[in-house]
Structures are given as structure tokens and as C-alpha cells.
Amino acid sequence: MSAFSVLFRREMRLAMRQSADSFMVIGFFVIAVVLFPFGVGPEPNMLARIGPGVIWVAALLAAMLSMDRMFMGDYEDGSLELLVLSPVALELVVCVKVLTHWLTTGLPLILTAPLLFVMMNVPGEIWLVLLLTLVLGTPVLSLLGSVGAALTLGARRGGVLLSLLVLPLLIPVLIFAVGAGDAVLFGNGAKANLMLLGGMLLGALALTPWVTAHALREAVA
Amino acid sequence: MAVFSGRHIDCIRGERQVLSAAAFSLESGGALMLRGINGAGKSTMLRLMAGLMRPVSGVITWDGVDISDDPQEHNARLAYVGHADAVKPALSVLENVTFWSKLAGAGGMDASDALAALGIGHLTDLPARYLSAGQRRRVNLTRALTSGAELWLLDEPTTALDAATAEALTSLIERHLKSGGMAVVSTHAELGLAETGTLTLGGTA
Amino acid sequence: MLHYFANPTRFQRLSRRVEPWLLAAMLVCFGAGLYFALFSSPVDYQQGHTVRIMYIHVPAAWMALFCYTAMAVSAAVALIWKHALADVAAKATAPIGAAFTFLALVTGSLWGKPMWGTWWVWDARLTSVLVLFFLYLGYMALRDAFDEPGRGARASAILVLVGFVNVPIIKFSVDWWNTLHQPSSVLRMDGPTIHPDMLTPLFLMAAAFQFYYFWLVLLRIRRELMVNRTRALRHRQASA
């Protein structure tokens, strides 16, 4: 069996047996969005205007919520040292961790999003584009989050610090994702925005596993 | 016949000099006991040998090649058993052990055999959250047996083990040495291994 | 050459000799720069006296980028060659860079109110400089978050390098996007587009800021080295 599938099956098994974590992320996502109609008033046009942005920001925060757990368990019980010392490339371990994180947070967020589109009165013609931005954007959250999670291992108040470090770097993703919806509404087409998001995803995919692996080696040294 | 050795090893941990000018040499079939009081640098020495840390100065070599030249290759020949047991409570005992043996690649003892050899063969299907400290320790040690690694680095392996299991461990290490392996063991207790070298660390601390 | 100055004692001796000169150069440039900026430079035909904010705002923004770049270079040297002095230099630069960034944001805001009618707009240039400010804060927070200083130093060095992607984005944000912030008028391929009478005070102020940075960073590095030495002595005390 290949190293990838050995790692992947272990991660999925661990995630499945702690599936409450995933539901908590979804719960946070929904509640954070639901607060807005109370905060800014339930006027449908207003909600439709701010809906995509609110949903994206909530998704960002929800993804951050589970980010610090990415390596924490392995760091605390000594598994991380052994993963660093295993004959398998650490970059591969990182990729598997990121993939599992995305499957247990990013994917559920995408699946929940349509429900929130309805509740926030988001216009039907931008649903597809917004879902596409989530598909392209949430993996970037997991990838960049992995860098932050690795850097803050063993730090005091690691979770808060992680958000402080990673959220500013995610601003471009937010801008272009929400911009895609606006572009469709203004009749410009979202192709440019989606291409940029795709570019960010490819860039993150190429660089972050390497940076994260380096940060993990430092964390156990 | 492989040679694992280190020369003039200095190491600073935190801001404290833990090792200064330490040296060792080990050949296939040989074992090295690390001794010294708490804080003398035994664990640090093992972590340096594993390649988790790099010495500030000095060099650790395998057959004359610096181990930091190709960490991946060094990883493939070593099994490290540290203080933390790396046992996932959500997985069963067997799942815990087979994950690491598959990751290390084939070549070692079969997982169930290894568990039996350390006296926990009856626990294979139990979720690891029900294990005692001593049982977790044994699960951790199983990883060395199943890895098929040439070099065992064991940090205080007898902690939380009863006398009978410690003896079983000693004979397992002896078997490993007879088949051409090497072992570096940090310990307070006497393991009763035949012919071993000893490295005493930290005269000053 | 790097290794020649790596020796902390030699560095201390050298920096103590250079500091007074830097201080003097800074004071001269500030004096001349402020005179030209406030009295002798022309009033803009559109902006009136408000244009004088430029002589603080633009050099501060340049320094914000310069400091981050200096930090990134130091961090890379510290990570690759395990160069202790480079690491100290990165640490010493961070708060200075954060202060310049803050100054650029505040003066920009003061300038924006009369020009654009608002204190703040969310255009690409302002947003990316704000992110730069957060990166400085994140660096300092991460660096401080560990009980073992070495771990904080290495982790934050990696963060600085990751955040460096933001620097070209800031520089070119006004060219890539159609923003409210005006495009660069000094540092451009086809030569500056602003009046030479404005260029003189601008460069004088920029030089003053630059000297100020070098003077302050040397002071801070020396202080950091002394703190390190005190700590080393404490450790020796503990293990004696």
C-alpha cells in the first residue's frame, strides 16, 4: 500500500471518530451568518447585497476555528516527531493533513452554503459562481492555515495567534471570491476572478506544503 | 558492517549548553548505554542521533557520511522511541501499531507477534484509550520491533514497565543485536545486556 | 565580509563608532528637508498646502517597504546560515517598520480627507499596506509567543518570508488595479513626473528617514546583544 493511502486512511479514521469537530465548524458557520439579519435588519435587498460577503467571512472564520487542531494532536502525543522521522517525505504528510482538513471542514462548508444562500436571499444567478469560489478558495484556506498551524505549535494562545497570522494573508482570497459574485451581477462575468482564485490555489499548492514541512521540522527540533 | 559514530558534539538546548564535545562510536551488533543524571543530555543525544536536532558543532556520521546529508535515508534505518508514546486513543491497539509499521515499510516483525512478544497480544482490538501507562509504553516499543530498522534509539524504554516486561525487552534487544542491528538506550536501570559500551554524559551539571 | 561583522564584539565596537555620524546626518537631512518641505517648496496648484503631507507620507511608506524587505533578507540569512546577528537585526527592525507603516497609514488618512473627502477607502494600495501592518504585528506576536526564544525566532523568520509576497503586491497595486490612490510619480521607469522643487525636499526627507532607521536599528541591535549577554550570564549563574 502506498504511503499516501496509509496516511490518508489513518487521518480519515481519526477524523471520523472525532466527527463532532466537523459539526461544530458547521454549527459556527451557520450561527455566524444567521446573526447578521439580526444585526443589520432583515430587509431582503440589504441581505442579498451583503450575503455573499457575510457567508465568505463566516466560512473563513469557521475554517480558522478548526485550524489549530491540524497538527496539535500529533504534536502533543509525540506522533509528530515520529512522522518527521518516518522514511516518508514530510511534504506528503502535510498534503494528506491538508486534504483531510479540507474534507472535514472545507467540503462541509461548501455543502452547507446553499442553505445560507437561501436564508440570506442571495440572487439565484450567482449561486453557481459563489459555490465555485468556495471550491477554489477553501483549499487555499486549508493550505495557508497549515503554515500558521505549524508555526504556532507550542505557542502560548496558539489558536488566537494563528488567526492573527493567517487571516491577513487570506484577504486577497476574500476579495476575489466576493468580487466574482459582484462581477456576475454587474454583467462582467466572473472568469477573471475565478482564474485569479485558481492561480492562488495553484501557488499555495506549490509552496505551502514545503513551508509547512519546514516549520514542522523546526517545531519538533 | 555499518559504523555509526559522532565526534565533538556540542549542543545548546534552549539557552543552555547541554552537550559539549561528546563522542561515540557504534558498530553493527553493538549497543550503547547512555548514562547520566537528569538533565545531563541523554534525551538530547538520542534526538541528535535521530536527526531531529542538529548539533551546534560536531558531526554524526553513518559509514562516514553525515546523517544530515540525506535525512530520508537515515530515517529509513532508524526507529526512535521517545518519552511521548504517540498512541492515538481513538484507534485500536493494532491500528496504532500497523499504521507505523506500514509507514516504515516492510521488514520487521509482524504486528501481532510484536505485541505478543511484549505481553499485550490479548489487547489488539481494544481502543487504546483504555490502556494503562505501562501498556501504552509497550505499544510504543512495538514500533521498534515492527519497523525492521537497523538502528534502535530508545529513550528510557523501561519507564512504567514491570520487571518481567523489562526482561522481555532486554532479550528482544539482544535478538536485534545478534541479527546485526544496533541499539542506543538511555536508562537509569540496569538492562543486563551482554557486551555494551557506555557513554556517561554531563559531568558538570 | 558577513562573517567579519558577525562577531558581536566587533559589531558593537563598529556600531558605536558609526552611530554619532548617522545621528548627525539624520539631523542635517531633517533640518534641511523640513525647511524645504515647509517653506521653500511650491504650493500645489490643486492641493494647496496639503501637498506638504507628502514629505512625511511618501518617505514613511517607502521605509515601511524597505524595513520589511530588510527583515525578510535578515530572516533568510538567519534561517539559511544560522546567522545570530541577522536574526537580531530582523527582531530590531520589526517595531521600527511597524511604526513607519503606521505613520504612512495615518498621514495617508490625513491627506485623504481633504483630497478624496474621506479618511479611508478600501482600495488596493491602502488595503495591502494595512495587511503589511498586520504582518509586522503578527511577526512580533509570534516571536514573543514561545517560552524558548530560539523557537520563536525561527518560526517568525518563516512567517516573514511567507508574508513577503505582499511587498510586490503593494508596490504594483496602483499600477495593476485602477485605484483611488495615485500611481507612483517618483520611482518609475520613465523618470519622475513631479516638479523638481518638490523632489528636493522629498529626497532630503527620505534620506533623513533612512539615516534615522540605520541609527535606531544599530542602537536596538546593540541593546538586544546586551540583553542576550545578560541572559547568558543568568544561565551560567543558574548552572554554577
Side-chain angles (χ1 to χ4, degrees):
Chain A
M1 210 186 310
S2 75
F4 176 84
S5 73
V6 171
L7 284 163
F8 182 68
R9 284 159 55 129
R10 170 197 191 235
E11 291 299 326
M12 282 315 280
R13 208 174 265 164
L14 284 172
M16 287 302 157
R17 291 181 194 174
Q18 286 148 3
S19 54
D21 288 8
S22 269
F23 287 108
M24 247 154 49
V25 170
I26 299 304
F28 177 86
F29 181 44
V30 172
I31 287 177
V33 173
V34 163
L35 284 178
F36 276 83
F38 298 107
V40 299
E43 204 264 312
N45 285 333
M46 161 85 101
L47 290 184
R49 180 75 201 89
I50 63 170
V54 166
I55 289 168
W56 245 102
V57 170
L60 242 155
L61 296 177
M64 278 300 121
L65 206 61
S66 57
M67 207 64 86
D68 63 325
R69 299 301 307 162
M70 200 187 280
F71 304 108
M72 193 60 94
D74 285 339
Y75 177 74
E76 281 169 350
D77 71 10
S79 303
L80 190 60
E81 287 175 0
L82 301 175
L83 287 170
V84 170
L85 288 179
S86 79
V88 176
L90 194 53
E91 286 76 5
L92 180 71
V93 176
V94 171
C95 289
V96 172
K97 289 266 181 195
V98 169
L99 178 63
T100 342
H101 180 265
W102 184 76
L103 287 174
T104 53
T105 55
L107 190 61
L109 289 179
I110 295 172
L111 296 178
T112 326
L115 174 72
L116 296 171
F117 291 166
V118 175
M119 293 171 81
M120 292 298 282
N121 199 26
V122 173
E125 62 260 42
I126 62 169
W127 278 36
L128 188 64
V129 168
L130 283 181
L131 281 176
L132 273 175
T133 62
L134 283 167
V135 169
L136 290 171
T138 47
V140 182
L141 308 190
S142 298
L143 284 164
L144 273 173
S146 79
V147 177
L151 287 177
T152 52
L153 279 178
R156 293 185 295 268
R157 296 177 303 281
V160 183
L161 186 59
L162 171 67
S163 302
L164 190 73
L165 301 183
V166 175
L167 285 175
L169 294 174
L170 291 175
I171 289 175
V173 176
L174 185 63
I175 292 175
F176 292 111
V178 178
D182 287 344
V184 170
L185 285 181
F186 296 141
N188 293 329
K191 195 170 164 213
N193 286 54
L194 291 176
M195 299 269 271
L196 274 164
L197 280 176
M200 286 179 200
L201 175 56
L202 290 179
L205 206 53
L207 292 175
T208 53
W210 183 69
V211 176
T212 306
H214 189 84
L216 288 178
R217 283 195 196 96
E218 294 286 0
V220 296
Chain B
M1 186 105 150
V3 180
F4 182 49
S5 66
R7 278 173 290 128
H8 298 295
I9 300 162
D10 288 343
C11 184
I12 295 171
R13 190 97 178 105
E15 292 168 275
R16 205 168 62 86
Q17 175 125 16
V18 187
L19 295 171
S20 63
F24 68 91
S25 181
L26 196 57
E27 292 185 354
S28 296
L32 182 67
M33 297 289 132
L34 297 180
R35 297 187 179 280
I37 53 167
N38 284 337
K42 300 190 292 292
S43 296
T44 306
M45 194 69 200
L46 282 167
R47 294 172 72 83
L48 287 167
M49 289 175 172
L52 276 172
M53 299 166 60
R54 299 237 178 116
V56 173
S57 64
V59 62
I60 299 176
T61 57
W62 183 275
D63 281 342
V65 182
D66 193 331
I67 58 166
S68 60
D69 284 355
D70 191 348
Q72 211 101 321
E73 199 180 318
H74 190 58
N75 288 349
R77 62 183 163 238
L78 74 86
Y80 171 80
V81 176
H83 282 288
D85 285 323
V87 173
K88 290 285 174 204
L91 302 181
S92 78
V93 169
L94 194 62
E95 282 170 339
N96 266 298
V97 176
T98 47
F99 166 69
W100 293 106
S101 71
K102 279 180 183 158
L103 205 60
M109 224 188 240
D110 176 69
S112 334
D113 292 349
L115 287 168
L118 284 166
I120 45 171
H122 56 295
L123 298 176
T124 45
D125 295 328
L126 196 70
R129 71 167 52 87
Y130 300 107
L131 298 185
S132 70
Q135 289 166 331
R136 277 206 306 274
R137 193 71 194 159
R138 284 187 258 179
V139 173
N140 189 6
L141 286 164
T142 323
R143 286 188 305 95
L145 303 180
T146 57
S147 67
E150 216 174 330
L151 171 65
W152 288 5
L153 303 170
L154 311 179
D155 200 352
E156 305 277 358
T158 51
T159 316
L161 291 190
D162 55 57
T165 321
E167 242 167 65
L169 177 66
T170 306
S171 66
L172 286 165
I173 296 176
E174 262 167 358
R175 179 139 55 108
H176 172 64
L177 298 177
K178 280 215 185 74
S179 64
M182 299 180 200
V184 182
V185 186
S186 80
T187 177
H188 288 296
E190 202 56 58
L191 271 181
L193 286 173
E195 305 165 45
T196 53
T198 304
L199 175 63
T200 307
L201 295 168
T204 56
Chain C
M1 195 190 86
L2 213 56
H3 277 279
Y4 182 82
F5 293 113
N7 178 325
T9 337
R10 194 174 294 140
F11 174 84
Q12 301 237 13
R13 208 163 357 118
L14 188 81
S15 98
R16 229 179 264 133
R17 205 174 304 157
V18 175
E19 275 161 25
W21 294 99
L22 286 173
L23 182 63
M26 174 191 103
L27 290 174
V28 169
C29 287
F30 258 130
L34 283 175
Y35 170 76
F36 278 107
L38 298 181
F39 304 108
S40 143
S41 71
V43 168
D44 189 271
Y45 74 99
Q46 268 180 330
Q47 308 191 4
H49 282 294
T50 345
V51 76
R52 302 192 196 283
I53 296 177
M54 174 179 77
Y55 303 119
I56 301 288
H57 174 72
V58 172
W62 284 347
M63 288 310 292
L65 289 178
F66 174 84
C67 286
Y68 198 89
T69 311
M71 246 166 80
V73 171
S74 308
V77 172
L79 274 180
I80 298 167
W81 290 292
K82 311 273 172 222
H83 205 299
L85 199 61
D87 175 58
V88 174
K91 184 182 182 185
T93 300
I96 309 177
F100 278 127
T101 314
F102 186 70
L103 186 64
L105 286 170
V106 169
T107 51
S109 182
L110 289 173
W111 198 2
K113 184 65 186 168
M115 287 302 103
W116 306 331
T118 169
W119 298 108
W120 185 264
V121 287
W122 289 101
D123 83 342
R125 176 54 76 80
L126 277 76
T127 311
S128 52
V129 173
L130 188 63
V131 170
L132 181 71
F133 185 59
F134 288 144
L135 284 172
Y136 277 118
L137 295 188
Y139 172 86
M140 291 189 275
L142 184 62
R143 184 145 190 146
D144 260 3
F146 296 92
D147 292 323
E148 194 214 318
R151 166 99 177 90
R154 290 187 300 267
S156 53
I158 297 175
L159 178 74
V160 170
L161 294 178
V162 172
F164 192 72
V165 290
N166 191 31
V167 168
I169 294 179
I170 295 177
K171 175 75 186 84
F172 297 110
S173 55
V174 280
D175 305 324
W176 291 343
W177 288 284
N178 202 0
T179 58
L180 201 51
H181 193 286
Q182 60 171 328
S184 177
S185 51
V186 181
L187 299 175
R188 46 191 293 160
M189 291 297 184
D190 47 357
T193 53
I194 69 172
H195 195 276
D197 284 351
M198 290 182 172
L199 222 45
T200 311
L202 190 60
F203 280 139
L204 278 170
M205 290 301 283
F209 275 37
Q210 197 65 252
F211 285 127
Y212 172 72
Y213 164 75
F214 281 116
W215 172 68
L216 197 59
V217 87
L218 286 181
L219 271 183
R220 289 184 54 86
I221 291 175
R222 262 199 315 130
R223 171 186 166 277
E224 202 60 39
L225 290 174
M226 284 180 209
V227 170
N228 285 351
R229 196 186 297 167
T230 318
R231 211 157 39 198
L233 288 172
R234 291 265 184 242
H235 278 287
R236 206 173 303 162
Q237 210 175 354
S239 59

